[in-house]
Amino acid sequence: MAEKTIMLCCAAGMSTSMLVARMQDAAKADGEDVEIFACPAAEADDKLAQENVSAILLGPQVRYMLDSFKQKVSDKNIPVDVIDMQAYGMMDGEKVLKQGLSLIK
């Protein structure tokens, strides 16, 4: 089991799952031991209850949920950020991986 876990949340989970695959490839190439998974924002509560999440990245299409996510995990000390829109649009797994890892101290 990886010591770091990055959860990506988006509207439905389709395009984000492709980004997860690219992030996993980048993590493997960089020698990073990190678990990365995607889920629809509607399932985030269940995933947070089941998984030991280190950081949450929101897809640009659900950026309006940033404040509610921050409140949701404020007692768990889990950082939340919105995926860089350009990196998301280009499916830049390396850049999004670095963004997620930068949240984890």
Side-chain angles (χ1 to χ4, degrees):
M1 175 151 163
E3 63 181 54
K4 299 175 208 153
T5 303
I6 300 173
M7 179 169 88
L8 274 60
C9 290
C10 60
M14 299 311 285
S15 55
T16 311
S17 59
M18 192 164 84
L19 182 56
V20 166
R22 294 199 177 177
M23 289 174 70
Q24 288 167 334
D25 290 345
K28 195 178 289 182
D30 295 347
E32 287 285 352
D33 182 25
V34 60
E35 183 182 336
I36 307 159
F37 69 93
C39 73
E43 294 174 17
D45 290 342
D46 292 340
K47 289 292 185 186
L48 285 166
Q50 297 165 3
E51 306 276 345
N52 188 10
V53 176
S54 309
I56 300 171
L57 289 173
L58 302 179
Q61 69 274 45
V62 293
R63 69 179 331 122
Y64 66 92
M65 298 173 119
L66 183 60
D67 287 339
S68 69
F69 264 88
K70 283 184 174 180
Q71 287 176 339
K72 192 181 299 210
V73 297
S74 62
D75 60 331
K76 295 184 173 107
N77 203 20
I78 300 172
V80 186
D81 200 4
V82 176
I83 297 170
D84 177 80
M85 193 177 283
Q86 188 176 10
Y88 187 88
M90 296 178 71
M91 290 283 140
D92 187 339
E94 179 74 31
K95 189 168 182 182
V96 179
L97 174 67
K98 282 187 169 51
Q99 182 183 1
L101 291 174
S102 74
L103 296 174
I104 305 167
K105 306 291 185 268

